[in-house]
Amino acid sequence: MTYNPIEFPGLGIGPIDFNPTAFTVFGLGIQWYGIIIALGFALAAIYCSSKTSAIGIKSDDFTDALFFAVPLAIVGARLYYVVFNFSRFRNDPLNMFNIREGGVAIYGAVIFALATAYIYARIRKISPLDLLDLGVMGLLIGQCIGRWGNFANRELFGTRTSLPWRMEIYIPEFGERAAVHPAFLYESLWNAAGFLLLHFLLKKREYSGQLLLIYLAWYGLGRGFIEGIRTDSLYLLNTGLRVSQVLAFASCAAALGLLTYFRLRKRAP
């Protein structure tokens, strides 16, 4: 039985074919997507827990924050998708809660996770910006690994291309197999590079919130360009604007502006 084989003909890789369902438990299918997301979360939690002392917060405070941030991030991911794809649920509102059929957006998860961490820190009277500086490194780990869940689901690809690293896959919207940009891979590699950048900048951090701003600038820049080649973007009402692309470039510009401001203020007489 085939499950939509994936090939990288320019690299001599493939066909790669596997069932998106890893195994079943009492008739419930456990998807590779969920397993990969869980792996990304576990590695992010382990890494961040090892860096709490370097960032200046207690390990218990970070662990407790996860219990609130993770479930709310899932809610945010689904809510973002539903709001900007409401036509899909207008006639079947209960389907909004059926997350097993897919339909989550990473930007919704990022927004809710950061907001939850900020509120949690204020309540616990610890530095919100220190906690967010730590959290964004975990986000990059999770985002880097999690994008391979999109690969398992045969999703998150771009427009047609003839580049050597093109990915060939059957695309229902096209009604045929096509060679397209592996957008999931672009974002995974971009996030991996961003994580390495923050990892090496951690010891050189000059002020609380600096890593957060660098994350927003780095991720926003890459996501903005990658979003422009995707074929499954969510759009802002009837404007024709890709909502995540607008958000990505706006957050990047705002973060770069603040980084520049703080740099100049530090050097001012």
Side-chain angles (χ1 to χ4, degrees):
M1 182 176 182
T2 61
Y3 302 94
N4 193 0
I6 303 169
E7 293 184 73
F8 294 86
L11 302 177
I13 300 175
I16 304 169
D17 192 25
F18 57 92
N19 191 340
T21 301
F23 54 89
T24 59
V25 177
F26 301 116
L28 181 66
I30 306 300
Q31 306 299 308
W32 279 114
Y33 180 91
I35 294 173
I36 294 170
I37 293 294
L39 175 63
F41 166 75
L43 292 178
I46 292 170
Y47 174 84
C48 290
S49 295
S50 71
K51 298 297 180 182
T52 51
S53 58
I55 213 81
I57 65 173
K58 297 178 180 178
S59 180
D60 287 347
D61 285 331
F62 171 74
T63 302
D64 290 346
L66 288 179
F67 284 106
F68 296 98
V70 172
L72 286 174
I74 297 172
V75 172
R78 181 61 169 178
L79 182 61
Y80 187 102
Y81 180 84
V82 168
V83 168
F84 293 107
N85 199 27
F86 189 71
S87 59
R88 173 180 170 182
F89 306 97
R90 182 179 289 112
N91 298 323
D92 186 14
L94 290 180
N95 198 36
M96 295 179 185
F97 304 98
N98 187 12
I99 198 171
R100 284 186 56 81
E101 289 189 359
V104 292
I106 187 61
Y107 250 129
V110 170
I111 293 169
F112 270 60
L114 294 180
T116 301
Y118 180 86
I119 295 170
Y120 169 85
R122 292 298 299 269
I123 293 173
R124 291 291 294 266
K125 293 181 171 55
I126 60 178
S127 170
L129 294 179
D130 284 337
L131 182 59
L132 292 176
D133 276 348
L134 180 63
V136 294
M137 290 192 289
L139 279 176
L140 284 170
I141 295 174
Q143 289 171 282
C144 171
I145 296 173
R147 282 311 183 193
W148 288 91
N150 298 121
F151 174 77
N153 275 359
R154 279 73 164 178
E155 60 190 9
L156 211 169
F157 44 79
T159 53
R160 295 177 187 266
T161 183
S162 58
L163 290 169
W165 53 84
R166 63 192 180 276
M167 177 177 72
E168 189 174 292
I169 186 173
Y170 176 80
I171 301 176
E173 293 84 355
F174 297 169
E176 62 180 358
R177 288 184 66 83
V180 295
H181 286 281
F184 82 93
L185 179 60
Y186 296 167
E187 193 165 331
S188 179
L189 293 176
W190 184 258
N191 290 331
F195 164 72
L196 291 175
L197 175 66
L198 293 191
H199 173 77
F200 289 113
L201 288 177
L202 176 58
K203 292 183 179 180
K204 299 179 180 180
R205 189 176 66 132
E206 298 173 345
Y207 53 86
S208 297
Q210 186 179 27
L211 300 187
L212 169 65
L213 291 175
I214 295 173
Y215 165 82
L216 293 174
W218 181 270
Y219 181 65
L221 179 65
R223 177 61 185 270
F225 283 108
I226 295 169
E227 189 71 24
I229 64 170
R230 288 179 59 172
T231 60
D232 60 347
S233 296
L234 300 175
Y235 288 87
L236 187 60
L237 300 178
N238 297 318
T239 63
L241 297 174
R242 302 169 190 259
V243 61
S244 291
Q245 188 175 42
V246 172
L247 180 58
F249 282 140
S251 62
C252 176
L256 287 175
L258 289 171
L259 285 166
T260 302
Y261 169 75
F262 290 128
R263 170 62 63 178
L264 293 175
R265 190 180 69 169
K266 179 182 177 182
R267 293 179 176 177

